Amino acid sequence: MHAIIREILDRAGLLAVLDARAAGRVDLVRVPAATFDRTDLLALGALADLLRAREVGDTVTVTWGRPCDPAALVVRGEPGLALLRAAARARILGPIGARIHVDVPTVGFELAQVALAFGADALVGPPVDRRGLPLADGTVRVKGEGPVSLATMKEREIRRILEAAGRVAVFERGADATDPTVLRQESHAV
Amino acid sequence: MLSEIVRKIDRGERLDVADGLALFETRDLLGLFALADRLKEARHGDRVYFNRNLRVEVTNVCEASCLFCSFAKLEEGHPGARTLALEEAWRELEQRLDDPPTEIHIVNGLHPGLPFSYYEDLLRGFKRIAPEVHLKCFTAVELHFFARHYGMRHAEVLDRLVSAGLGSLPGGGAEIFHPEVRERICADKATADEWLEVHRIAHRLGLRSNATMLYGHIETFAHRVDHLARLRALQDETGGFQAFIPLAFHPDGNGMRNLPAPTAMDDLRTLAVSRLFLDSFDHVKAYWVSLGPDVAQIALACGADDIDGTIVHETIYSAAGSSSPSGLTKAELVRLIQEAGRRPVERDTLYRVLEEHPRVAVPEASVKVRDRKARRHLDVLV
Ligand code: SF4
């Protein structure tokens, strides 16, 4: 951990959370609810990102075309700052190794990507374009490959973006699953 | 690597090009943001600046053909080509005299058919209507074009415009300085040296100016650092720059439409690196028009201390079909800054404080901001 991160965690009174979770003692994690509204955003993000890296590693699961793992926590629909705080809160208070999904259609890919640095480790679809609209069915011609579907192009773009951030994308598609637990800003589900 | 850079900054040493590159490449983004925020806090505390400004684009006719530009129409008479009569331009201000902006920000295409007196009259007219208003007008690219097109030296162009009311220069037109990029994306307008020379002369004449960088297209991180290093060198020489404004490239409707747009993380990273590398720039601006209000709010925790202004009226983006608001009210800007846990400070163009608002705890998203998630489409800023 960099000194600067240690410094902001210390200032926010969050260092103890690291120790508690490292010992597997989520029950000892004591964070007053107001902390998540008022604490320095970067301190919350830094703690959540450290926990994410320790507990679930660098893999980002991208779930397209079906509901995600029913055990996952899903953050959705919040505007920027609140979304980041909600993702961090889910990571800090959630079970060890929990998957924290961000609902891309309701927050947009831009902010979903930022949430991945604030504790989230999964994106849930359907795939959308830059403007947040569903991807068309079409194809584009790629030199040396011929026609490639827009969905595949999107997948490649997401892989590239995540790799640039040091993360590894794993795409999941297919069979139905039940609705996931939904974590909202006002909920205390975790 | 970040630890070594932190130590360097703590020792008061200046970052070099290799450090700049390492910052762009670091995967420790939260560490980068925290470091940039620390420097911003040391310089400005929890203050975040904004102003009340009016954007006017008097012509989109342009003889240049920048690849990234969705705004310019090559010739008068082309569909969509538009040049305002002076009275039409002045009316933009007259309609707002009940709550007048403190600044008028004017940028245009490079119109080969207008007389120089058009621009002088334009400024004089605004000053006649509102003598107090600050005129931040014409990028270095436009000013260089004026010099070449009307057969004057840069200093003469500036002198005449200052006599007409010019108060400072916006920062557009810098794009990417490195010739490997500049020659590919905007070969037929002012070169990097010409852009820098216009600002050098303006600073010597006592004018302040801003600087920009258009990022996220074909340039590499090395090109970005080179760009920042050139700006820093000129700032060391003149001290005339006020703010640095990174501008995110947007691919819609222009000659680079096949490229993806830069991501929000790239936006935040670029702002943070700019704060750290441009140690002699007072202000780093999160331009909400191009970032969208949501990402601009996050940027206030990543080294930015300014969010730009109300804009009030803006035609470039809306003409391109953007769904984003074409302006935010002063109340909306104040609340956006307060939501981000900062203290809103209304400034004038030269960063003199006009009104300090309190830092109050405002629940995030408590204010209704139109299209707050929308990311504006950056088409041109000459
Ligand atoms: S960016 Fe400016 S100079 Fe270039 S084509 Fe557009 S209006 Fe003309």
Side-chain angles (χ1 to χ4, degrees):
Chain A
M1 191 193 332
H2 286 301
I4 185 146
I5 296 293
R6 178 169 288 281
E7 187 185 304
I8 62 171
L9 291 184
D10 192 20
R11 210 182 316 134
L14 292 172
L15 276 175
V17 175
L18 272 181
D19 298 335
R21 290 190 68 110
R25 299 294 305 274
V26 179
D27 56 311
L28 294 184
V29 173
R30 304 256 182 273
V31 185
T35 300
F36 292 103
D37 297 332
R38 300 210 198 105
T39 298
D40 174 34
L41 180 71
L42 293 180
L44 281 181
L47 173 60
D49 196 48
L50 277 170
L51 296 175
R52 187 272 309 157
R54 278 187 192 175
E55 296 176 10
V56 297
D58 291 333
T59 299
V60 175
T61 310
V62 186
T63 306
W64 275 2
R66 70 172 172 89
C68 60
D69 176 354
L73 303 169
V74 179
V75 184
R76 65 163 55 115
E78 307 286 358
L81 294 168
L83 170 76
L84 302 184
R85 288 183 188 276
R89 190 176 73 164
R91 174 62 65 203
I92 292 166
L93 296 186
I96 303 240
R99 293 175 70 184
I100 313 293
H101 288 241
V102 185
D103 185 46
V104 177
T106 59
V107 305
F109 184 72
E110 289 294 320
L111 291 171
Q113 187 212 358
V114 180
L116 294 175
F118 283 74
D121 68 319
L123 305 175
V124 56
V128 289
D129 68 9
R130 255 199 331 261
R131 294 169 191 273
L133 301 171
L135 281 187
D137 285 334
T139 59
V140 286
R141 291 199 73 80
V142 176
K143 214 171 162 186
E145 290 186 65
V148 176
S149 75
L150 289 173
T152 302
M153 293 299 287
K154 192 70 190 171
E155 194 172 305
R156 289 179 187 175
E157 184 186 335
I158 290 174
R159 268 185 210 287
R160 182 183 54 76
I161 288 169
L162 294 180
E163 275 167 21
R167 309 288 282 273
V168 182
V170 174
F171 285 81
E172 288 184 354
R173 294 191 194 81
D176 273 343
T178 52
D179 270 344
T181 307
V182 173
L183 180 82
R184 288 193 148 279
Q185 177 73 357
E186 65 275 14
S187 147
H188 294 277
V190 289
Chain B
M1 187 65 200
L2 193 59
S3 307
E4 179 46 37
I5 290 174
V6 174
R7 277 193 287 276
K8 237 175 151 170
I9 289 173
D10 286 345
R11 289 194 299 262
E13 288 174 30
R14 174 166 261 195
L15 302 186
D16 59 24
V17 167
D19 297 326
L21 209 48
L23 289 172
F24 270 117
E25 285 168 354
T26 185
R27 289 177 173 183
D28 185 358
L29 287 170
L30 271 300
L32 170 65
F33 298 160
L35 187 57
D37 189 50
R38 192 166 89 182
L39 259 64
K40 179 261 163 191
E41 289 285 314
R43 206 181 267 263
H44 299 291
D46 61 358
R47 288 185 294 278
V48 171
Y49 300 93
F50 71 95
N51 73 346
R52 277 178 296 131
N53 55 355
L54 168 68
R55 276 288 298 265
V56 181
E57 292 98 24
V58 292
T59 180
N60 63 356
V61 173
C62 184
E63 65 166 29
S65 51
C66 304
L67 267 187
F68 54 83
C69 182
S70 321
F71 166 70
K73 308 293 166 200
L74 287 182
E75 283 175 34
E76 202 69 78
H78 274 202
R82 182 165 176 264
T83 300
L84 298 183
L86 289 171
E87 292 72 18
E88 288 179 289
W90 297 331
R91 204 171 304 131
E92 301 286 345
L93 176 60
E94 284 164 344
Q95 286 167 349
R96 285 164 185 85
L97 287 178
D98 50 336
D99 180 22
T102 58
E103 169 189 293
I104 300 179
H105 177 164
I106 302 176
V107 291
N108 310 294
L110 312 178
H111 195 312
L114 292 171
F116 188 65
S117 59
Y118 172 90
Y119 300 100
E120 295 176 297
D121 293 344
L122 178 71
L123 302 193
R124 286 207 177 90
F126 280 127
K127 280 293 194 186
R128 219 173 14 248
I129 297 163
E132 300 302 316
V133 79
H134 182 102
L135 299 178
K136 184 175 83 180
C137 312
F138 313 124
T139 65
V141 168
E142 289 174 87
L143 295 164
H144 176 71
F145 166 77
F146 293 161
R148 189 168 48 77
H149 194 66
Y150 302 113
M152 291 186 272
R153 289 176 300 107
H154 291 131
E156 193 183 343
V157 170
L158 285 165
D159 275 339
R160 284 180 60 175
L161 292 172
V162 168
S163 299
L166 180 71
S168 66
L169 271 51
E175 326 309 1
I176 288 286
F177 289 144
H178 200 289
E180 283 170 6
V181 177
R182 199 167 187 88
E183 282 165 15
R184 287 173 64 194
I185 66 170
C186 54
D188 55 357
K189 69 180 185 189
T191 63
D193 287 344
E194 287 162 345
W195 190 98
L196 291 163
E197 181 63 7
V198 170
H199 282 264
R200 180 179 288 111
I201 293 168
H203 296 168
R204 281 199 194 127
L205 292 173
L207 294 168
R208 308 301 301 274
S209 69
N210 292 336
T212 59
M213 172 174 75
L214 183 71
Y215 66 91
H217 42 90
I218 60 169
E219 89 289 359
T220 62
F221 287 151
H223 294 133
R224 293 190 200 181
V225 178
D226 170 78
H227 189 94
L228 298 178
R230 292 186 203 218
L231 288 175
R232 195 173 70 177
L234 181 56
Q235 180 72 333
D236 289 346
E237 187 186 321
T238 67
F241 287 120
Q242 300 194 111
F244 175 68
I245 311 150
L247 297 172
F249 162 70
H250 200 286
D252 281 4
N254 59 49
M256 295 197 284
R257 68 183 71 84
N258 292 333
L259 297 179
T263 63
M265 282 312 251
D266 197 10
D267 297 333
L268 299 173
R269 178 196 292 273
T270 305
L271 275 160
V273 177
S274 305
R275 166 63 71 194
L276 296 171
F277 197 84
L278 295 176
D279 52 8
S280 47
F281 277 64
D282 273 342
H283 303 285
V284 175
K285 191 182 284 187
Y287 188 44
W288 70 261
V289 179
S290 106
L291 299 176
D294 265 354
V295 176
Q297 275 186 314
I298 299 167
L300 300 182
C302 304
D305 68 288
D306 190 312
I307 198 164
D308 203 73
T310 49
I311 309 290
V312 182
H313 181 72
E314 188 277 330
T315 58
I316 292 174
Y317 304 104
S318 39
S322 166
S323 60
S324 298
S326 60
L328 291 176
T329 64
K330 176 177 167 179
E332 284 174 321
L333 277 175
V334 166
R335 295 285 289 207
L336 281 173
I337 295 167
Q338 287 173 331
E339 276 181 24
R342 266 57 182 184
R343 185 188 309 276
V345 177
E346 185 184 346
R347 60 166 175 85
D348 67 8
T349 308
L350 301 176
Y351 284 86
R352 289 175 298 219
V353 172
L354 300 180
E355 186 178 1
E356 290 239 15
H357 295 262
R359 173 182 176 156
V360 292
V362 178
E364 282 154 10
S366 63
V367 59
K368 286 270 169 285
V369 173
R370 290 152 289 150
D371 305 311
R372 57 186 298 151
K373 285 203 185 81
R375 189 184 171 86
R376 302 302 301 273
H377 299 170
L378 181 73
D379 302 305
V380 62
L381 289 178
V382 188

